[in-house]
Amino acid sequence: MMRTRIDDLILYDGKGGRLESASVLFDENGIVAAGRGLKDAQAETVIDGKGLTCTPGWVQGHTHIAVDGLPNMQAQVMRDDTEAAVMASAARNSLRCLKSGLVAVRDMGTNFDVSIKLRDAINAGKLLGPRVYASGRVLCMTGGHGYYFGIEVDGADEARKAARAQIKRGADLLKIMATGGGQSKGMKAGVPQLSYEEIRAIVEEAHHAGIHTAAHAQGKEGVMNCLRAGVDSIEHGVTLDDEQIELMLKQGTYFCPTLMALWYVIEKGEASGIPPYVVEKCKIQAITHFDGFTAAYKAGVKVIAGTDAGTPFNYQDDMASEFIKMHELGMSVKDVIVSATRTPAEAFGVADRTGTIEPGKWADLTLIEGDPEADLEAFRRVKMVFKGGQLVYSNENGKDVFLPVL
Ligand SMILES: [Zn+2]
């Protein structure tokens, strides 16, 4: 087994620790050692890590990997009406994820269940890409948010049947549309959609199968429906208040705030081609959302970093903006890194294999130029990405170099 050693790094271990002048030693079986005093350790490849920061491989907590970030998300999803078209976009976007430091993504909805098939193609070595935690199609009510890449269910029995069907197809999680959303035409954003009973049926089936659930939920009633039903991860969670935060803490619910999704819509506005109904809905939500995020973080809610990539101007190769926004709203740099590494690994049930830099874990590593504690822009300067000990991406003097798939 060929070993790689990288020396003279700044190392963030994903547990909140930071160490200078550190080395990391690994091979394709996993991390062998990390820390100081390793410069004599035998390795076939030795890399000078001076000026670089190494963290556990970043996880995108919320993406739609087949969608590109065009001004009208719903229109793109409806235009790409063949499985081949969706798969082609997903394959290309997989490379964009790698070059922005992502070793893993949680896909929150693709047509034709493409994210499940993408995961299998990547795992089989047919395509290069990040580890994919796939929901396939979303579960929504008839005409509900995301119906254009969803399975429409009405009543607890239909919800249960669709949940079982997605589990049969190989979903790693079930994505629930609990309320209306910004990107869908013809509905209010914060109103409840799937009922408590429907959500509960989906959660039960997911938990019986040993997988987790994530719910698009905005607005008090919809979020409360999810929390009462035992949903594992609240997505967006716009207008979180003290009661909801307390319940999330009590139940250990994860929170993926997707701050940039709202931000881009408001920043770019109608002039950029974003449909007026989208801009209007997002404007109403933004202020309370940013306050709710800060309150939840300060209270100790477990935050997962995710951008909702695929929404307007929210590209697959930009994880850094979400990190910077989270920091601007009060989160420490160390906690930003934890929210993109250890916390998602815990939420996805893979924390025994990944999420931190420790011996025995997968050698999933993201290396950036500079130290984000001194310069947040360092998050944008991705230098190398290792997945399972393999160098899958490197930036060679500004040129993107990907591991060939042969
Ligand atoms: Zn989404």
Side-chain angles (χ1 to χ4, degrees), residues 62 64 175 236 308:
H62 187 133
H64 301 274
K175 171 76 182 296
H236 322 301
D308 208 356

Side-chain angles (χ1 to χ4, degrees), residues 305-316:
T307 67
D308 208 356
T311 57
F313 300 95
N314 196 350
Y315 303 119
Q316 300 289 343

Side-chain angles (χ1 to χ4, degrees), residues 1 3 25-33 358-364 388-389:
M1 188 66 65
R3 277 193 181 170
L25 179 70
F26 57 92
D27 59 27
E28 289 178 21
N29 282 335
I31 294 167
V32 178
E358 290 177 283
K361 295 216 172 163
W362 291 332
D364 290 355

Side-chain angles (χ1 to χ4, degrees), residues 278-290:
V278 175
V279 178
E280 199 182 312
K281 284 194 275 189
C282 290
K283 267 190 183 154
I284 299 167
Q285 299 168 352
I287 298 161
T288 51
H289 186 37
F290 295 152

Side-chain angles (χ1 to χ4, degrees), residues 137-360:
R137 286 170 292 166
V138 306
L139 305 177
C140 64
M141 72 171 198
T142 293
H145 182 45
Y147 71 87
Y148 37 89
F149 47 36
I151 303 172
E152 294 172 306
V153 298
D154 299 290
D157 287 347
E158 281 189 24
R160 192 178 299 280
K161 177 143 192 169
R164 289 173 175 169
Q166 285 308 86
I167 292 163
K168 184 180 175 189
R169 290 185 184 102
D172 297 301
L173 71 144
L174 299 180
K175 171 76 182 296
I176 298 165
M177 297 309 220
T179 72
Q183 302 302 323
S184 298
K185 195 175 180 183
M187 69 183 66
K188 286 184 182 168
V191 295
Q193 290 195 341
L194 286 179
S195 68
Y196 164 80
E197 289 76 17
E198 290 162 334
I199 297 168
R200 180 70 204 148
I202 296 165
V203 171
E204 277 177 9
E205 294 303 321
H207 289 177
H208 290 165
I211 64 173
H212 79 282
T213 51
H216 167 105
Q218 313 172 328
K220 177 92 183 183
E221 198 181 337
V223 172
M224 289 306 285
N225 282 341
C226 292
L227 293 175
R228 278 196 285 261
V231 165
D232 304 282
S233 176
I234 297 289
E235 308 300 305
H236 322 301
V238 179
T239 68
L240 286 189
D241 64 13
D242 289 349
E243 187 189 4
Q244 292 165 329
I245 288 169
E246 212 169 289
L247 202 49
M248 290 174 85
L249 285 170
K250 197 172 141 214
Q251 299 186 172
T253 313
Y254 294 90
F255 173 39
C256 184
T258 69
L259 302 166
M260 291 312 292
L262 280 179
W263 184 257
Y264 285 123
V265 171
I266 294 158
E267 279 290 290
K268 305 283 180 183
E270 278 179 49
S272 67
I274 301 173
Y277 62 84
V278 175
V279 178
E280 199 182 312
K281 284 194 275 189
C282 290
K283 267 190 183 154
I284 299 167
Q285 299 168 352
I287 298 161
T288 51
H289 186 37
F290 295 152
D291 289 348
F293 163 74
T294 304
Y297 166 64
K298 296 258 182 276
V301 171
K302 296 183 284 188
V303 174
I304 295 174
T307 67
D308 208 356
T311 57
F313 300 95
N314 196 350
Y315 303 119
Q316 300 289 343
D317 59 0
D318 183 13
M319 195 65 203
S321 294
E322 186 78 17
F323 291 167
I324 293 168
K325 183 59 70 187
M326 291 196 296
H327 181 67
E328 282 172 4
L329 294 174
M331 188 181 250
S332 72
V333 166
K334 289 192 187 77
D335 283 347
V336 166
I337 291 168
V338 172
S339 79
T341 56
R342 185 183 67 183
T343 306
E346 281 172 5
F348 308 169
V350 291
D352 55 333
R353 279 159 281 167
T354 186
T356 57
I357 298 181
E358 290 177 283

